[in-house]
Amino acid sequence: MHTDTLEEVLLTRSTKTDAFESPDFLLLDDLLTEEHKLIRQSVRDFVKKEISPIIEDACQKAYFPDYLVKKFGEIGAFGPTIPMKYGGGGMDYISYGLIMQEIERGDSGMRSTVSVQSSLVMYPIYKFGNEQQRMRWLPGLASGDLLGCFGLTEPDHGSNPSGMTTNFKDMGTHYLLNGAKMWISNSPKADLAVVWAKSEEGRIHGLVVERGMDGFTTPETHNKWSLRASCTGELVFDNVKVPKENLLTGKSGLGAPMLCLDSARFGIAWGAIGAAMDCYDSARRYAAERIQFDKPIASFQLTQKKLAEMLTEITKAQFLNLRVGQLMNEGRATTAQISMAKRNAVETAIVIAREARQIHGGMGITGEYPIMRHMANLESVLTYEGTHDIHLLILGAEITGIPAFK
Ligand SMILES: Cc1cc2nc3c(=O)[nH]c(=O)nc-3n(C[C@H](O)[C@H](O)[C@H](O)COP(=O)(O)OP(=O)(O)OC[C@H]3O[C@@H](n4cnc5c(N)ncnc54)[C@H](O)[C@@H]3O)c2cc1C
């Protein structure tokens, strides 16, 4: 990956102190281990030092601060649940959730970069790759020397990835890959892509496609109003010769990418609540400081109602996420449970961002406060990795036994 040097990065560092304090109304910390709290603190410190000062400017300029990729690797944000033998953190899923929560508290785009690398690139290589493939790619991805992306969505197949047309043919010495993917986080800067494509038999397989292969290009998607500090693009395959040793043979079928999405959606559930916490905390502090009618606006009942409802919803979501994390640790979490957590968290965060924006009055639309940025980011989070409605239908199918989306 080409990484801009710090000298090339023309981002203005904010002089405003990031005074974030996380809400813990029901003393959820009592249910965490000392290790969990240490991990959370170290990522929170990192966000305050590295993300908060530059993120407003990065978003305004639609600039992906790629120099942070190496730093994410240094703090162990990539592949926290991957065994240490491969450079991962060997941690549990609650640690992973806490890392996502803290990073998205800083910015959903930054969390997208990290969760794609961890859940959608490292996870499939670890789960479905052989030992040689694991040793070849995982340590570099863990350290941030390599950046990866995950190609499932196509221009004509978003919610229905099973209809994908990207395909590969067995040419004897190699596979020949053709097709295109769209809306791919990290793609313009990625060194490698885990790509889902159909074999001649119509079965979905994962292949690792590397930058530099002839016929492989990654055009950037511009003009986004959401996740502006994350780079998004396409993956275009025009007769790309993919070596046979790049096929992930451990699992095929749509279930393989769906397993990756379970892991990523779990991280999103925690991350979105991080964004909600930031909006709530900013609104709480602003309400105490902003004087109208000779009183802090926090003294008005309507402001108190907003804050009380925000805290209630954050608290409920924290416990839902924690319970799903416990089930993930035990290998018992189901896709429907993860859908509930992701859907609930993103909805909660969007409503909270909107209410927090109101509490900030006109200031809420500026980059002086993080609210509008979170609000715009969360619109992508609502749609990617399964739209809000598709998660509802996953739950509906679980309840009734009747899939309504087919
Ligand atoms: C910023 C960003 C980053 C992304 N990163 C990645 C990435 O890294 N890798 C990747 O593979 N993809 C990525 N995506 C793609 C994302 O997962 C898709 O956008 C998402 O799955 C929805 O697909 P779509 O946009 O084609 O919408 P569509 O599938 O066209 O859906 C449009 C609307 O129709 C609704 N709908 C569709 N089918 C049904 C149904 N059966 N019943 C009821 N309603 C339905 C949807 O809920 C939605 O409201 C990203 C998207 C964005 C915006």
Side-chain angles (χ1 to χ4, degrees):
M1 181 184 63
H2 166 77
T3 306
D4 289 340
T5 63
L6 278 174
E7 292 71 36
E8 286 170 320
V9 177
L10 298 171
L11 295 178
T12 309
R13 289 181 76 84
S14 163
T15 51
K16 207 170 163 185
T17 309
D18 175 356
F20 172 72
E21 289 172 34
S22 67
D24 185 15
F25 188 67
L26 284 185
L27 312 183
L28 180 137
D29 269 15
D30 290 358
L31 305 178
L32 301 179
T33 63
E34 283 312 307
E35 194 188 347
H36 289 145
K37 289 184 248 184
L38 277 173
I39 291 164
R40 181 183 60 190
Q41 192 58 49
S42 71
V43 182
R44 186 169 298 170
D45 293 344
F46 175 85
V47 169
K48 288 191 177 194
K49 181 166 172 261
E50 300 286 355
I51 296 181
S52 301
I54 55 98
I55 196 66
E56 291 300 340
D57 197 36
C59 280
Q60 293 280 357
K61 291 176 177 153
Y63 177 82
F64 172 54
D66 58 6
Y67 67 94
L68 288 178
V69 171
K70 189 84 185 107
K71 291 181 187 245
F72 282 129
E74 283 161 13
I75 63 162
F78 292 140
T81 61
I82 301 288
M84 291 164 92
K85 177 182 172 191
Y86 305 110
M91 297 173 205
D92 71 354
Y93 273 92
I94 293 172
S95 306
Y96 175 51
L98 288 165
I99 293 170
M100 296 301 108
Q101 173 190 292
E102 293 304 315
I103 296 176
E104 190 148 1
R105 204 281 298 172
D107 187 72
S108 306
M110 296 292 91
R111 198 269 308 138
S112 301
T113 294
V114 178
S115 60
V116 164
Q117 179 100 332
S118 297
S119 285
L120 299 181
V121 180
M122 296 178 72
Y123 178 88
I125 292 173
Y126 171 62
K127 272 280 188 212
F128 317 136
N130 58 34
E131 197 56 20
Q132 201 191 2
Q133 291 168 329
R134 291 171 176 176
M135 294 312 289
R136 180 166 163 207
W137 289 303
L138 291 178
L141 290 161
S143 64
D145 288 314
L146 294 175
L147 182 67
C149 66
F150 173 88
L152 181 66
T153 306
E154 297 187 351
D156 294 329
H157 300 95
S159 297
N160 175 24
S162 64
M164 69 173 66
T165 56
T166 299
N167 66 88
F168 62 96
K169 288 192 170 65
D170 189 338
M171 306 303 283
T173 52
H174 59 269
Y175 299 116
L176 201 62
L177 181 66
N178 278 291
K181 300 287 177 180
M182 188 179 180
W183 290 119
I184 308 304
S185 303
N186 297 349
S187 91
K189 291 274 179 175
D191 301 285
L192 55 97
V194 171
V195 175
W196 300 95
K198 281 183 180 163
S199 64
E200 285 152 286
E201 295 74 39
R203 183 116 184 124
I204 295 172
H205 292 264
L207 302 114
V208 178
V209 180
E210 296 169 273
R211 184 170 296 283
M213 288 181 175
D214 277 351
F216 174 41
T217 50
T218 60
E220 187 163 358
T221 302
H222 295 288
N223 297 330
K224 291 178 299 171
W225 283 112
S226 175
L227 295 189
R228 287 172 63 78
S230 158
C231 62
T232 314
E234 297 167 46
L235 301 173
V236 181
F237 315 106
D238 180 9
N239 287 318
V240 181
K241 287 182 183 172
V242 181
K244 289 209 151 174
E245 59 266 26
N246 285 26
L247 184 76
L248 301 175
T249 53
K251 190 170 170 66
S252 63
L254 191 62
M258 289 300 140
L259 266 181
C260 308
L261 290 174
D262 275 353
S263 168
R265 290 165 177 174
F266 167 76
I268 293 176
W270 285 74
I273 290 307
M277 286 180 184
D278 201 38
C279 293
Y280 162 78
D281 188 54
S282 181
R284 181 184 62 82
R285 276 181 284 112
Y286 188 83
E289 288 161 12
R290 175 70 175 164
I291 308 292
Q292 287 295 285
F293 301 96
D294 301 323
K295 290 181 192 164
I297 60 170
S299 64
F300 301 128
Q301 289 179 354
L302 289 177
T303 308
Q304 291 186 5
K305 175 177 186 286
K306 289 185 175 69
L307 292 170
E309 287 177 351
M310 287 181 195
L311 181 59
T312 306
E313 292 308 316
I314 287 171
T315 306
K316 283 154 66 180
Q318 283 172 325
F319 277 87
L320 175 52
N321 287 348
L322 182 70
R323 180 63 188 140
V324 177
Q326 290 168 340
L327 293 172
M328 295 281 287
N329 284 343
E330 295 165 14
R332 293 199 291 149
T334 65
T335 295
Q337 289 164 343
I338 296 166
S339 281
M340 180 187 279
K342 190 254 183 188
R343 187 171 184 279
N344 174 69
V346 183
E347 167 107 359
T348 298
I350 283 190
V351 171
I352 287 175
R354 201 164 289 146
E355 293 289 272
R357 217 288 302 146
Q358 286 203 63
I359 290 178
H360 287 76
M363 289 308 289
I365 71 152
T366 71
E368 280 297 297
Y369 295 90
I371 315 300
M372 200 76 190
R373 177 170 51 78
H374 283 311
M375 201 194 291
N377 282 342
L378 287 164
E379 289 296 332
S380 290
V381 183
L382 191 78
T383 285
Y384 69 21
E385 312 234 1
T387 70
H388 202 55
D389 285 346
I390 292 293
H391 286 297
L392 181 132
L393 296 178
I394 290 172
L395 282 165
E398 179 82 4
I399 296 162
T400 63
I402 308 166
F405 43 81
K406 287 185 187 162

